[in-house]
Amino acid sequence: MYIAQAFKGLHEWWRYLIGALIVFVAWQIIGMIPLGAAIVIKSFGGGAEQIPTDIPEMITLLGSNLFLFLMLISFVFGLVGVFVSVKALHKQSLKSLTTARPKIDWKRFWFIFILWGIVSIGFVLADYFFSPEDYQLNFQLEPFLVLAVIAILLIPLQTSFEEYLFRGYLMQGLGVIFKNKWLPLLFTSLGFGLLHIANPEVEKLGYVIMVYYIGTGLFLGIITLMDDGLELALGFHAANNLFTALLVTADWTAFQTDSILKDMSDPSEMAITEIFVPVFVVFPILLFILGKKYKWTNWGEKLLGTVVEPLKEDYKILD
C-alpha cells in the first residue's frame, strides 16, 4: 500500500534516475559549499600547510559546533532536493511520499520519538552507572546550549532527509519499477549502511560496524512497510541521532559534539553491546511492541509481496 502511493505521480524509471542525480547535486555539491568554503578560509587564514581532509582535522580547525552546523546544512539541501524532485519531476504530493494514510499521523512520530528517547537515555545512564570509568564529564554550559540549538533545529532535518530518500523516494521508486517489496527493502537497507561507510567509526571498529548500520536500515525499512508510512521511521531516526548528539560524544565518532559526556572506552571492546545487541535484541523487541500496538498482520505479504498498480480510476495524478 505504501509503495503503491508512487503510482499517484509520474513514475517512469528515468524520472527516478534524474531525481537521484538532483538529490546528489543538492546534497553533496551545493550543500557542501558552505562547509568547504569555511574550511578553505579558515585554513588559509590560519596559515595551515594543507587543507584538512578528514573529520577530526576539520573539527579541530572549525570547532565542533561550527563543523556540526555546516555539515548538517548539506542534509537540508539534500532534503530540498528530494522534495523538489518529488513535486516537480514526479508531480507527487509530499503526503503520499510520507504515508498511505489520509493524513500524516504525527502521533506515531511522537510515540516512537519519546519511546526511543527514553530507551536511549536509559542505556547511557545504565552504562555510566556500571562503568563510570569509561566516561568523562564533558559538559560546558555555553557550548552545550549552542549545540542544543543546532541539534534541535537541524538534526531532525538531517534524519528526515535520509528517511525521505531511502525509505521514501528510493523505496517507492524501486518498488514501482521492479513490482516487488523485498528488493526495495534490501537495496535501501544496504544503501543506508553504505552511506555511513566513510564514518570514523568504521576505521576504529572495522567493517563489523556495518552490521549495525545495515541492520538499522533494515529495521527502519520493515517498520515503514509494515506501518504503511514513514512516521515511525522519521521519529525513531530523529530521536536516535538527537539524543546521541546531546548525551555522548567520542573522539572516533562522526558526531563529535560538546555533549554532556565523553566516551573514553576502547572502541574495539564495544562490538557486542554497541553493534549486535541493538540489531539482534533491541530492534526485534521494538518490532514486537510496535506490531502489537498498531496491530500489524500479514508480515510476509507486506515485506516480500508484489507491488500492483491500482486501476487508473482509483488514482489520479496529484499536483
Side-chain angles (χ1 to χ4, degrees), residues 141-155:
L141 180 60
E142 186 175 338
F144 178 79
L145 291 177
V146 174
L147 165 65
V149 172
I150 294 171
I152 291 170
L153 291 178
L154 294 182
I155 284 181

Side-chain angles (χ1 to χ4, degrees), residues 33 49 63 75 95 106 122 125 130-131 151 159 216 257 283 312:
I33 290 175
E49 295 182 0
F75 291 93
K95 193 277 291 182
W106 290 108
L125 291 178
F130 288 108
S131 304
T159 56
T216 301
T257 66
F283 291 168
K312 296 299 181 181

Side-chain angles (χ1 to χ4, degrees), residues 215-237:
T216 301
L218 185 62
F219 167 73
L220 292 168
I222 290 173
I223 63 177
T224 297
L225 291 178
M226 290 304 303
D227 201 49
D228 280 327
L230 282 177
E231 295 97 333
L232 292 175
L234 287 168
F236 176 91
H237 202 165

Side-chain angles (χ1 to χ4, degrees), residues 21 49 74 86 110 150 159 173-174 184 197-198 202 208 215 237 259 270 301 308:
L21 180 60
E49 295 182 0
S74 68
V86 170
W110 288 113
I150 294 171
T159 56
L174 291 169
I197 200 167
V202 178
V208 68
H237 202 165
S259 59
M270 298 171 58
E301 171 60 28
V308 180

Side-chain angles (χ1 to χ4, degrees), residues 13-175:
W13 67 268
W14 57 267
R15 293 181 187 273
Y16 287 98
L17 189 60
I18 295 175
L21 180 60
I22 291 173
V23 172
F24 178 82
V25 170
W27 170 36
Q28 285 294 302
I29 298 179
I30 299 174
M32 284 296 183
I33 290 175
L35 177 59
I39 291 173
V40 170
I41 293 171
K42 192 76 172 179
S43 296
F44 289 158
E49 295 182 0
Q50 61 182 16
I51 297 175
T53 56
D54 60 30
I55 290 178
E57 290 178 349
M58 294 178 188
I59 292 174
T60 300
L61 179 68
L62 298 177
S64 60
N65 279 332
L66 179 57
F67 173 80
L68 180 66
F69 173 77
L70 294 172
M71 184 266 291
L72 291 176
I73 286 294
S74 68
F75 291 93
V76 176
F77 278 91
L79 183 60
V80 172
V82 173
F83 289 168
V84 168
S85 297
V86 170
K87 295 291 290 183
L89 194 59
H90 296 272
K91 307 299 182 184
Q92 183 182 353
S93 71
L94 296 182
K95 193 277 291 182
S96 65
L97 181 68
T98 307
T99 186
R101 282 171 277 277
K103 62 180 181 179
I104 298 173
D105 187 352
W106 290 108
K107 289 183 179 179
R108 278 171 153 83
F109 174 93
W110 288 113
F111 171 77
I112 198 166
F113 180 90
I114 294 171
L115 173 63
W116 190 243
I118 293 172
V119 171
S120 298
I121 294 171
F123 280 154
V124 172
L125 291 178
D127 198 39
Y128 182 75
F129 178 80
F130 288 108
S131 304
E133 69 279 2
D134 289 341
Y135 292 91
Q136 174 183 304
L137 187 63
N138 192 55
F139 180 77
Q140 298 180 59
L141 180 60
E142 186 175 338
F144 178 79
L145 291 177
V146 174
L147 165 65
V149 172
I150 294 171
I152 291 170
L153 291 178
L154 294 182
I155 284 181
L157 296 179
Q158 174 246 327
T159 56
S160 293
F161 162 68
E162 294 181 7
E163 291 311 307
Y164 273 109
L165 176 61
F166 285 98
R167 259 64 64 179
Y169 190 67
L170 294 178
M171 181 86 80
Q172 288 189 350
L174 291 169

